[in-house]
Amino acid sequence: MMMNAHVLPKQPVTGLDVAALRAQFPVLKREVHGKPLVYLDNAATAQRPASVIDAVSGFYRDYNANVHRGVHQLSAEASDAFEGARERVRAGVNARSTREVIFTRGTTEAVNLVAQSYLRPRIQPGDEILVSHMEHHSNIVPWQLLCEQTGAVLKVIPINERGELLVDELENLISDRTRLIGLVHVSNALGTVNPVQQVCELARKHDIATVIDGAQATPHVAVDVQALGCDFYCMSAHKMYGPTGIGALIGREELLEAMPPWQGGGEMITRVSFDETTYNVLPHKFEAGTPNIAGAIGFGAAFDFLNATGIDAIAEHEHHLLQYATERMQAIDGLRIIGTAEGKGPVIAFTLDGAHANDIGTIVDQFGVAIRTGHHCAMPVMQFFNVPATARVSFAAYNTTDEIDVFLNALETARTMLL
Ligand SMILES: *Cc1c(COP(=O)(O)O)cnc(C)c1O
């Protein structure tokens, strides 16, 4: 048989046992419209392995209790599991200590916490905040709110036609009024992997704080917050095989120590009277109220899953899927890939001449293929590329080239129907 040297083989060339991996995900066994589910909407939320589902349900089934307050056995077990999860998150991104790991509802809440508790007390009218043109709304709107509240100014770091950050332009934008740079590590709308380490180094030189949106990085690459050199790092468990409604803010301890609490209530105090209230130590100072205990435990289990599977093996497999799909999609008439950055993550956003993204999504759904269509919570990206919306496929560890073939066939049907 003749093989075209430029076309990737169907079978993955990586060490990941994808069949065994798929067997860990109950939902992958189901059908949609009578067809096997092909789930390619992982950048919106990934599926959960049985180990994560069991960790969550096991908490409710076997030792449900509130944390940190009880002297009874169940509370001790719940507290151990909750704090054990915090240690897994710490180790998962190499934070210095669990005092630097604040559980939040996710990336969105983590960014808002930094905006309101870190930056708000430090910012003056006319001070400047820089974010990139490829940010998710969760790393734009909290800063816009802060600007409205304080008279600060939001400035945008430009990108190029491939969807890459223009670091030189960033250097030009930095002034003595710049207080903070917000940057997405891996773009959910484009797949771009940003030079976070380089940007953080630049920021540090100018004494500017950095907030990195890591929602799309932690599922796909090894993240080391110390090596990156950022001040704050945000993530969401549900993007990385964990539960919804839980995530974390990793912050430098000295910054977190100096920050006022964000929300008041239980858990975050040591003593309350009507004359004076003293706050709890890190990380509890920022965790008012009963936390999402089951979610945190599931978050810890998600890191266990990533470690057991191997993040490098996942990255290699996903890169193969990305290349396989990209080669075939590039050959489709009228298809334009939005986001072609060097070394991008496993996301392919695209438009098809003469077809609305929503219609494409609806048609491929009939084949059991789940893709996302719309603005992907990154409307400025759509404005930059001058498109109303894109369709997007995004890959996870359990996806296969066979699934990509199913998608491509469904896409071909959509194309013939819509053109
Ligand atoms: C999903 C996502 C977010 C928001 O995460 P939430 O879990 O909804 O808070 C932020 N940034 C990026 C890049 C994302 O993909």
Side-chain angles (χ1 to χ4, degrees):
M1 204 176 75
M2 288 275 290
M3 283 279 285
N4 183 334
H6 300 292
V7 175
L8 279 165
K10 242 185 106 44
Q11 290 313 313
V13 288
T14 60
L16 209 59
D17 183 347
V18 181
L21 192 70
R22 289 180 68 80
Q24 296 184 46
F25 287 80
V27 79
L28 296 180
K29 296 182 183 73
R30 69 161 286 177
E31 297 194 334
V32 171
H33 305 305
K35 310 264 174 20
L37 167 66
V38 173
Y39 188 78
L40 301 179
D41 193 17
N42 295 286
T45 197
Q47 298 297 343
R48 289 46 162 155
S51 59
V52 167
I53 299 167
D54 291 348
V56 172
S57 64
F59 164 71
Y60 289 123
R61 205 178 42 231
D62 300 331
Y63 58 102
N64 175 62
N66 211 331
V67 291
H68 299 151
R69 282 187 290 251
V71 294
H72 60 79
Q73 179 63 24
L74 261 54
S75 180
E77 290 177 18
S79 301
D80 283 353
F82 183 71
E83 291 305 322
R86 196 189 306 277
E87 166 55 23
R88 285 167 167 78
V89 176
R90 184 209 65 74
V93 295
N94 195 31
R96 290 167 201 80
S97 107
T98 50
R99 290 187 297 280
E100 299 194 326
V101 180
I102 315 293
F103 283 125
T104 63
R105 285 193 294 123
T107 301
T108 304
E109 190 176 56
V111 176
N112 277 280
L113 196 166
V114 176
Q116 293 300 320
S117 181
Y118 171 74
L119 198 54
R120 190 170 181 172
R122 286 169 177 76
I123 202 154
Q124 301 297 321
D127 280 352
E128 293 164 0
I129 300 165
L130 304 181
V131 297
S132 85
H133 205 124
M134 71 178 97
E135 296 307 308
H136 187 283
H137 297 163
S138 67
N139 206 15
I140 300 173
V141 185
W143 308 116
Q144 289 177 325
L145 287 169
L146 185 66
C147 288
E148 275 173 32
Q149 290 158 347
T150 63
V153 182
L154 188 65
K155 296 201 159 177
V156 183
I157 313 161
I159 57 177
N160 66 20
E161 285 295 325
R162 289 197 298 274
E164 294 162 332
L165 189 77
L166 296 177
V167 180
D168 291 349
E169 297 292 325
L170 165 62
E171 292 209 57
N172 296 335
L173 276 172
I174 289 175
S175 77
D176 56 5
R177 301 302 305 266
T178 311
R179 294 289 167 263
L180 181 136
I181 297 173
L183 182 63
V184 68
H185 193 168
V186 179
S187 159
N188 65 307
L190 299 167
T192 310
V193 181
N194 279 311
V196 167
Q197 196 171 356
Q198 186 189 355
V199 169
C200 289
E201 199 180 316
L202 185 64
R204 222 171 22 254
K205 242 191 275 166
H206 295 268
D207 216 12
I208 299 166
T210 44
V211 184
I212 306 305
D213 168 357
Q216 294 296 336
T218 48
H220 304 297
V221 292
V223 171
D224 180 334
V225 292
Q226 293 187 57
L228 290 174
C230 56
D231 292 314
F232 298 100
Y233 197 89
C234 311
M235 56 186 141
S236 296
H238 71 101
K239 300 285 176 81
M240 46 183 293
Y241 311 102
T244 50
I246 187 81
L249 170 68
I250 311 295
R252 271 184 206 284
E253 185 168 350
E254 61 272 26
L255 300 183
L256 293 172
E257 276 296 356
M259 285 157 57
W262 185 41
Q263 294 175 330
E267 300 274 1
M268 52 74 71
I269 48 81
T270 49
R271 185 166 187 285
V272 176
S273 76
F274 286 111
D275 297 324
E276 191 191 29
T277 291
T278 49
Y279 306 128
N280 206 339
V281 294
L282 289 175
H284 311 291
K285 182 171 83 173
F286 293 105
E287 295 179 355
T290 299
N292 181 355
I293 304 164
I297 292 167
F299 192 8
F303 269 109
D304 287 345
F305 167 79
L306 284 174
N307 291 335
T309 309
I311 192 76
D312 292 336
I314 291 174
E316 199 187 345
H317 173 65
E318 289 172 343
H319 183 67
H320 177 76
L321 296 174
L322 176 69
Q323 283 189 301
Y324 180 92
T326 301
E327 280 181 1
R328 283 152 181 83
M329 289 169 73
Q330 275 169 341
I332 297 173
D333 240 6
L335 189 144
R336 174 186 174 205
I337 293 177
I338 306 288
T340 50
E342 199 67 48
K344 69 184 253 197
V347 167
I348 307 175
F350 64 96
T351 58
L352 196 54
D353 285 347
H356 287 292
N358 271 336
D359 296 337
I360 298 170
T362 307
I363 293 170
V364 302
D365 177 60
Q366 293 304 309
F367 291 81
V369 182
I371 71 170
R372 182 132 304 237
T373 62
H375 54 66
H376 317 291
C377 295
M379 283 189 182
V381 170
M382 305 301 122
Q383 288 147 16
F384 178 82
F385 287 97
N386 200 20
V387 294
T390 66
R392 180 187 72 191
V393 292
S394 51
F395 307 120
Y398 42 68
N399 289 128
T400 65
T401 48
D402 283 345
E403 288 184 310
I404 292 172
D405 290 344
V406 173
F407 159 67
L408 292 168
N409 283 331
L411 183 62
E412 185 51 32
T413 305
R415 211 172 71 88
T416 27
M417 283 172 73
L418 294 170
L419 296 190

